[in-house]
Amino acid sequence: RLAFVGDPDAAGANSVAGALRAQGMMVNVSDTAAMGLGLLQRLPGVDVILVSDSLQDLTTFQVLADLADDARFGATPRMLITNDGDAAGELYGDHVSGMVVGGDVSGVAG
């Protein structure tokens, strides 16, 4: 199983990536949204994409919309990385298939 994590917070991204690796996933990480979208173009068969709600170079909505519009990723589960599940749910609930709140990856299935 292959996961992709896009999060500008290196410590948070590495924590999430480490927890996913402990579940047996191979994980690629990017600290910028633009670089992440570029890397995803070279990752065939990614099983789940995790995107931070605090991106710095693009908005999270832009990234989620780009992924939804791309035939290669339209059916790929997109999850939000956040520390505030309630607020993030209100903003992004219809655009993601789940959330990683406070680093808890137990709900991630690739």
Side-chain angles (χ1 to χ4, degrees):
R1 298 179 325 177
L2 182 61
F4 180 83
V5 174
D7 190 340
D9 173 21
N14 288 329
S15 176
V16 168
L20 293 173
R21 288 182 183 114
Q23 292 182 6
M25 294 183 140
M26 294 180 57
V27 183
N28 287 281
V29 178
S30 176
D31 62 354
T32 68
M35 180 71 76
L37 289 171
L39 287 171
L40 278 169
Q41 303 305 315
R42 292 182 225 122
L43 285 177
V46 66
D47 297 299
V48 62
I49 300 169
L50 296 92
V51 179
S52 172
D53 65 350
S54 61
L55 300 173
Q56 296 175 347
D57 57 334
L58 297 172
T59 70
T60 301
F61 280 115
Q62 286 175 303
V63 173
L64 294 172
D66 283 353
L67 293 170
D69 290 342
D70 189 318
R72 292 169 289 189
F73 306 111
T76 304
R78 292 173 299 281
M79 300 191 74
L80 188 71
I81 301 169
T82 185
N83 286 322
D84 188 347
D86 292 332
E90 288 182 31
L91 287 173
Y92 302 104
D94 294 339
H95 303 282
V96 295
S97 56
M99 289 188 280
V100 170
V101 180
D104 178 9
V105 299
S106 61
V108 177

